[in-house]
C-alpha cells in the first residue's frame, strides 16, 4: 500500500528514519547486541573479509569494507558477485565471506555461495528477506529489518545495509562507538532533511542533460557510485560516479557546457580538494551542485545536511541523491517503480 505517496520509491525513501530506528531496536537489547557469538568468533578468527554483492548492495559493501578496516582492522575487499563466481581471487589462509543482498535471491550470489561451500568456508548473508534462499543456505544471516522493498530501485535497503554493517563492525571493534546514539542522530538528520528541503526545483534547473557525474573522495566516492546507479536506472540519464581526483585523468574530456557535476562533501579532510576539482569542471562549463554536511559546508552549497558520525555519513549523504533520481525520473515521465529492462531480483546469472 502506497498510502499518501505517489510511488513506492518515494514512500520507501521517507521510511528511512524509521528503518534506522527499527534496526536499533532489533539489534540493541539492554546493552546486549543481537548478533550471535559464533558469527563474531568466526570473523575474529579470519584474516580477510571477502564481501560479495551486486548493484546497490555492492555499494553498501564498499562502505562495509571501509567500516571493517577502520573499526576492526581486518582487511576487507569487495567483489562483484558475477565475477567472483567464475574467477575466484587468490584467497588468504583464513577468509571469511560476507554476502549482502536485499532480496537474498540474486543468482550471481547463489553461484558464489556454491563456490564457498565447495571450498568449505563459512558465509554470512546480510539480507532483508529472512526466508530467502541465501538466508537459508548460508551458515549465518543477519536481518535488515527494512520492511518489504517494492520499488525496483533500492533505497531503504541500502541505508539498512550500512546500518547493520556498522553495528557488526562496531561490535567487533574496541572503539565502542555509542551506536544507539549515533544511529538515532542519523535518523534525525535524514528526517530533518526530508522535512525541510524541497529539492525538486534544484533538479529541474540543474539536471538537464543526457549525462551527469557524481564526484566524491574516500567514503563519499562510495556514495557517489550508489548515487550514480540510482540516477541512471530510473531517469535513464547516463551517470557515472567518480573519485573526484580521478576525473581530470581523462573523463574530464566529457564535460561540456551545462554537463551536471554533483559533488558529495562530508568531511573537512577532503573538502578543499573536492571543491578544487569542482572548480576545474566549472571552468569547462559544467553546471555544479554541492551536497555537504554542516561541519564542512559553505553557505552557497545547494544541500546541507546535519552532521552525523564520520563513519555513518553515507547513510545521510545518499538520501538527497535518491531524491535527485526520483525527481529527475518524475520529470521525464518514467515508470519510477518499474524502470525499463530491470527486475527487482535478478534470478538468472
Ligand atoms: C539498484 C538495484 C540493483 C540491486 C541488485 C542486487 O537499485 O536494485 O542494483 O541492488 O540487483 O540485488 P540484491 O540486493 O537483492 O541482491
Amino acid at each position: 500500500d502506497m498510502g499518501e505517496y505517489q510511488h513506492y520509491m518515494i514512500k520507501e525513501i521517507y521510511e528511512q528514519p524509521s528503518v534506522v530506528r527499527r534496526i536499533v531496536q532489533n539489534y540493541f537489547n539492554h546493552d546486549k547486541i543481537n548478533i550471535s557469538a559464533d558469527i563474531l568468533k568466526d570473523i575474529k578468527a579470519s584474516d580477510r573479509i571477502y564481501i560479495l554483492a551486486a548493484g546497490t548492495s555492492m555499494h553498501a559493501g564498499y562502505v562495509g569494507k571501509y567500516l571493517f578496516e577502520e573499526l576492526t582492522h581486518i582487511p576487507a575487499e569487495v567483489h562483484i558477485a558475477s565475477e567472483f563466481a567464475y574467477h575466484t581471487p587468490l584467497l588468504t589462509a583464513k577468509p571469511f565471506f560476507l554476502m549482502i543482498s536485499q532480496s537474498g535471491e540474486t543468482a550471481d550470489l547463489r553461484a558464489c555461495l556454491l563456490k564457498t561451500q565447495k571450498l568449505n568456508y563459512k558465509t554470512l548473508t546480510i539480507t532483508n528477506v529472512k526466508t530467502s534462499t541465501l538466508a537459508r543456505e548460508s551458515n549465518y544471516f543477519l536481518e535488515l529489518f527494512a520492511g518489504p522493498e517494492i520499488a525496483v530501485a533500492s533505497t531503504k535497503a541500502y541505508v539498512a545495509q550500512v546500518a547493520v554493517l556498522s553495528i557488526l563492525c562496531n561490535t567487533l571493534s574496541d572503539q565502542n562507538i555509542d551506536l544507539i546514539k549515533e544511529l538515532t542522530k542519523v535518523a534525525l538528520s535524514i528526517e530533518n532533511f526530508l522535512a525541510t528541503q524541497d529539492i525538486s526545483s534544484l533538479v529541474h534547473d540543474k539536471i538537464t542533460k543526457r549525462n551527469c557525474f557524481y564526484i566524491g573522495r574516500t567514503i563519499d566516492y562510495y556514495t557517489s557510485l550508489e548515487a550514480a546507479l540510482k540516477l541512471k536506472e530510473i531517469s535513464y540519464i547516463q551517470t557515472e560516479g567518480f573519485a573526484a581526483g580521478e576525473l581530470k585523468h581523462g573523463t574530464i574530456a566529457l564535460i561540456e557546457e551545462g554537463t551536471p557535476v554533483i559533488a558529495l562533501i562530508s568531511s573537512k579532510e577532503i573538502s578543499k580538494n573536492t571543491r578544487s576539482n569542482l572548480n576545474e569542471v566549472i571552468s569547462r562549463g559544467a553546471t555544479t551542485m554541492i551536497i555537504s554536511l554542516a561541519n564542512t559546508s559553505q553557505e552557497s552549497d545547494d544541500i546541507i545536511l546535519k552532521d552525523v558520525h564520520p563513519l555513518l555519513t553515507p547513510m545521510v549523504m545518499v538520501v538527497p541523491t535518491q531524491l535527485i533520481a526520483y525527481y529527475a525520473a518524475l520529470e521525464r515521465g518514467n515508470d519510477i517503480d518499474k524502470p525499463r529492462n530491470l527486475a527487482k531480483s535478478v534470478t538468472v546469472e
Side-chain angles (χ1 to χ4, degrees):
D1 176 29
M2 279 190 287
E4 62 188 294
Y5 296 100
Q6 216 183 328
H7 299 97
Y8 281 109
M9 184 185 181
I10 191 78
K11 172 175 180 265
E12 290 163 3
I13 290 172
Y14 274 79
E15 273 171 15
Q16 293 177 117
S18 57
V19 168
V20 175
R21 291 195 178 96
R22 197 182 313 138
I23 288 169
V24 169
Q25 278 160 15
N26 279 287
Y27 277 95
F28 297 93
N29 188 354
H30 303 289
D31 286 348
K32 286 241 291 282
I33 313 274
N34 269 333
I35 297 178
S36 85
D38 289 342
I39 296 179
L40 301 175
K41 189 176 95 239
D42 281 353
I43 296 181
K44 275 188 186 148
S46 79
D47 61 0
R48 188 173 292 253
I49 313 295
Y50 292 81
I51 300 174
L52 313 177
T56 290
S57 298
M58 184 178 69
H59 297 150
Y62 283 125
V63 180
K65 167 192 162 64
Y66 195 93
L67 294 171
F68 266 105
E69 295 189 343
E70 289 285 321
L71 288 171
T72 74
H73 307 296
I74 305 171
E77 46 188 73
V78 181
H79 292 270
I80 297 173
S82 59
E83 285 296 306
F84 182 93
Y86 296 95
H87 179 73
T88 310
L90 195 58
L91 300 173
T92 53
K94 295 179 211 151
F96 185 84
F97 293 92
L98 172 57
M99 310 212 171
I100 307 175
S101 176
Q102 189 285 129
S103 63
E105 300 295 346
T106 298
D108 292 320
L109 275 174
R110 177 98 200 296
C112 293
L113 184 62
L114 295 179
K115 186 137 213 178
T116 55
Q117 282 173 339
K118 208 164 141 200
L119 296 168
N120 255 320
Y121 291 123
K122 289 213 180 134
T123 304
L124 162 65
T125 294
I126 297 181
T127 180
N128 203 26
V129 185
K130 65 177 174 196
T131 54
S132 62
T133 308
L134 289 170
R136 275 185 282 114
E137 294 183 357
S138 298
N139 299 83
Y140 308 116
F141 82 92
L142 289 174
E143 203 180 336
L144 289 174
F145 299 107
E149 193 181 60
I150 310 290
V152 164
S154 181
T155 54
K156 61 178 181 171
Y158 171 86
V159 164
Q161 285 161 346
V162 175
V164 170
L165 285 162
S166 75
I167 295 168
L168 175 63
C169 292
N170 193 47
T171 310
L172 290 157
S173 161
D174 42 29
Q175 273 197 42
N176 276 317
I177 301 167
D178 181 352
L179 276 186
I180 300 185
K181 183 176 128 217
E182 297 301 339
L183 287 170
T184 304
K185 248 170 95 177
V186 166
L188 286 168
S189 174
I190 297 173
E191 215 157 52
N192 174 271
F193 164 70
L194 291 173
T196 59
Q197 299 194 43
D198 179 359
I199 65 164
S200 53
S201 59
L202 193 64
V203 173
H204 173 83
D205 294 345
K206 297 202 179 194
I207 313 296
T208 57
K209 300 288 181 199
R210 278 284 301 131
N211 62 350
C212 180
F213 291 94
Y214 271 99
I215 60 170
R217 285 170 180 260
T218 70
I219 205 167
D220 294 329
Y221 167 48
Y222 299 141
T223 312
S224 81
L225 296 175
E226 171 53 15
L229 178 62
K230 208 77 344 169
L231 183 58
K232 81 177 90 170
E233 72 182 324
I234 62 167
S235 74
Y236 315 140
I237 294 168
Q238 185 160 17
T239 313
E240 299 301 332
F242 254 86
E246 185 64 10
L247 203 64
K248 62 179 174 297
H249 295 286
T251 307
I252 199 166
L254 296 177
I255 304 294
E256 294 174 348
E257 199 57 40
T259 304
V261 178
I262 307 171
L264 302 174
I265 302 176
S266 70
S267 77
K268 284 205 177 71
E269 290 80 69
I270 52 84
S271 181
K272 194 163 153 270
N273 282 346
T274 300
R275 288 175 193 278
S276 95
N277 297 135
L278 267 184
N279 287 332
E280 291 158 9
V281 297
I282 288 172
S283 69
R284 273 95 179 165
T287 295
T288 59
M289 195 193 292
I290 299 179
I291 303 172
S292 64
L293 283 185
N295 77 84
T296 186
S297 65
Q298 294 182 1
E299 221 181 309
S300 59
D301 292 354
D302 300 274
I303 298 171
I304 301 171
L305 302 152
K306 291 207 162 164
D307 285 318
V308 296
H309 189 283
L311 293 175
L312 304 179
T313 60
M315 297 173 70
V316 299
M317 294 294 282
V318 79
V319 179
T321 75
Q322 297 167 340
L323 282 180
I324 288 169
Y326 179 78
Y327 289 121
L330 192 66
E331 209 169 283
R332 283 157 185 77
N334 298 347
D335 188 347
I336 292 187
D337 288 335
K338 287 194 171 59
R340 69 184 184 205
N341 311 343
L342 294 174
K344 183 64 185 162
S345 66
V346 184
T347 52
V348 290
E349 282 180 41

